Amino acid sequence: MSHPLPPLNPLRAFEVAARLRSLTRAADEMHVSQVAVSRQVKVLEDYLGVALFTRLHRGIELTQEGAELYDGIKNAFRDIEKASRQVSRRNQRDTLSIQSYTTFSQRWLIPRLADFHKKNPLLEVKLSSSLKPVDFGLQNVDAAIRSGHGDWPGLHAEKLVDIELIPIVSASLWSSENLVKEDISRVRLLHSMARPDDWKKWIEASGIQADPEMGIKFDTSALAYEAASMDIGCAIAIKVFIERQLQDGSFVALSDFVCKTGEAYYLTWPKDARPSDALLKFLEWMRGLIGQPL
C-alpha cells in the first residue's frame, strides 16, 4: 500500500521556513502570521511523529529528520512553481518581464524602449533592476541582462554590447582645471562598487601611473557618472553608455586609451524553456538595435 502524502499546506509552510531558516521570514513570504506558520509546522510534526526544527532563542535549526525531509521536497516545490508559471504565461503572452542592471537600464535600454513600445503597443513591459542573477526557476522573469563572457550554464546568451572602459570628466572640470590627456593623477577617481575592478583594469592596461584604490566609491556606475557630470572627479565609464555625451561635448575622455575587457552585456533566458512570443519580439527588436547609436 502506498503511503499517503502529508498534508500539503503544512508541508509548504515547513518548506518555506526551512529554506529561509526563519518562521518570521516564512510568515512574511506567505503573507500570514508567524503563529500560523508555527501551527502548520506543528501539524506536520505531529503527522510525522518527529521534531523538524530545534527552536532557538534567535531562530530555528533543522533537526536531522527536518534536514532529510527538506532535501527530499525542496526540488519538488521548485518544479511545481516552475510548471505553474509556465502554464500561467500561456495566458499572458502580452506581458514581458525583463531584469537588468540599473546603469544598463538607464544608459542603454530605457532611452530605446519607446521605440519598442511604438512597434509593439499592445505588449506590456515590466523592467526591474538587480545585481543578483535571476533564478528563472523561482522568479517570474522572461529574460535578464547579464554582464560577463556569455558562458552561464543552462542559459542562452545573446550578445548585446561589448564592455570597453574609458576615463571621463565633465567638460567644465576639464576646462576649469586646465586638464590635458592622461592627467589621471590630477583628478579624484570615481568608482562603482558594482564594478570594483574597472579602474584597476584600465590603469594596468594603459600603463598610466595612478592608484586604482583612491577616490570615492558609489553604489552603481550610474551614480559615478552623475558625480562626474557634477565636476566631482573622473569616472571610469563603459564607453557605449557615454558615447552620446562624448559626442555632444558634455563629457571629455581624459585619455584616448580604451580598455577592451573581453566582457559584454548579454540578454539571457533558460535553454530548457521555450521563449514566449513577447520575448521573441523583444529579441528580434534588440538584434536590430545592436551597433546602432542613440
Side-chain angles (χ1 to χ4, degrees):
M1 178 181 292
S2 63
H3 196 283
L5 286 174
L8 293 182
N9 284 338
L11 195 65
R12 175 56 172 165
F14 163 75
E15 185 275 332
V16 177
R19 170 163 45 83
L20 299 176
R21 296 298 194 270
S22 168
L23 295 175
T24 301
R25 292 171 62 192
D28 290 341
E29 179 171 312
M30 300 179 70
H31 305 291
V32 298
S33 68
Q34 180 179 335
V35 172
V37 174
S38 183
R39 186 182 300 119
Q40 291 283 358
V41 171
K42 184 64 168 58
V43 168
L44 185 61
E45 289 179 323
D46 290 344
Y47 178 86
L48 297 173
V50 296
L52 299 172
F53 292 111
T54 300
R55 273 71 170 178
L56 306 175
H57 178 62
R58 292 186 176 276
I60 55 175
E61 285 186 358
L62 285 165
T63 63
Q64 180 179 343
E65 293 82 0
E68 290 177 1
L69 179 61
Y70 179 62
D71 286 342
I73 68 170
K74 60 183 180 182
N75 289 334
F77 275 101
R78 287 168 64 96
D79 290 343
I80 291 171
E81 290 172 344
K82 182 178 179 180
S84 298
R85 274 190 299 277
Q86 288 175 339
V87 170
S88 67
R89 283 178 181 173
R90 292 173 186 167
N91 296 319
Q92 297 178 2
R93 294 300 190 186
D94 292 330
T95 300
L96 176 69
S97 180
I98 302 289
Q99 179 176 298
S100 178
Y101 303 114
T102 298
T103 304
F104 186 91
S105 294
Q106 289 181 349
R107 288 275 170 173
W108 197 90
L109 184 54
I110 290 176
R112 295 170 165 86
L113 271 181
D115 177 69
F116 178 73
H117 189 261
K118 181 179 179 180
K119 294 174 179 176
N120 300 274
L122 300 180
L123 201 160
E124 177 186 357
V125 178
K126 296 181 179 180
L127 179 62
S128 60
S129 293
S130 177
L131 292 175
K132 296 181 180 179
V134 168
D135 185 337
F136 287 101
L138 293 178
Q139 295 174 247
N140 189 19
V141 174
D142 292 285
I145 307 295
R146 290 188 67 172
S147 62
H149 295 91
D151 53 356
W152 300 284
L155 295 181
H156 286 290
E158 181 91 8
K159 184 177 177 180
L160 301 176
V161 291
D162 289 313
I163 296 178
E164 300 176 334
L165 305 175
I166 190 168
I168 58 165
V169 295
S170 67
S172 54
L173 184 65
W174 170 273
S175 176
S176 65
E177 296 296 321
N178 295 316
L179 296 172
V180 296
K181 296 289 185 178
E182 322 300 343
D183 256 354
I184 304 298
S185 61
R186 290 186 52 205
V187 294
R188 182 183 296 111
L189 303 189
L190 308 178
H191 303 257
S192 166
M193 288 185 287
R195 299 188 58 84
D197 298 325
D198 281 358
W199 264 118
K200 182 179 180 181
K201 289 178 181 178
W202 187 89
I203 288 172
E204 289 180 351
S206 68
I208 292 175
Q209 296 299 310
D211 186 343
E213 301 301 325
M214 296 299 290
I216 302 176
K217 295 177 170 62
F218 298 89
D219 190 44
T220 66
S221 298
L223 291 177
Y225 302 166
E226 181 67 16
S229 74
M230 299 173 69
D231 304 346
I232 293 175
C234 178
I236 187 68
I238 295 174
K239 189 170 181 287
V240 71
F241 292 163
I242 46 81
E243 285 181 332
R244 182 175 58 177
Q245 287 76 20
L246 290 175
Q247 292 171 2
D248 67 23
S250 53
F251 277 146
V252 178
L254 200 52
S255 170
D256 292 327
F257 178 78
V258 177
C259 175
K260 301 181 185 297
T261 66
E263 295 181 300
Y265 286 98
Y266 293 84
L267 182 68
T268 66
W269 66 95
K271 287 183 177 178
D272 62 355
R274 179 190 176 278
S276 66
D277 291 343
L279 178 54
L280 291 174
K281 291 177 182 177
F282 187 75
L283 181 58
E284 180 182 2
W285 173 75
M286 290 283 266
R287 285 170 175 163
L289 285 181
I290 294 173
Q292 292 184 11
L294 276 176

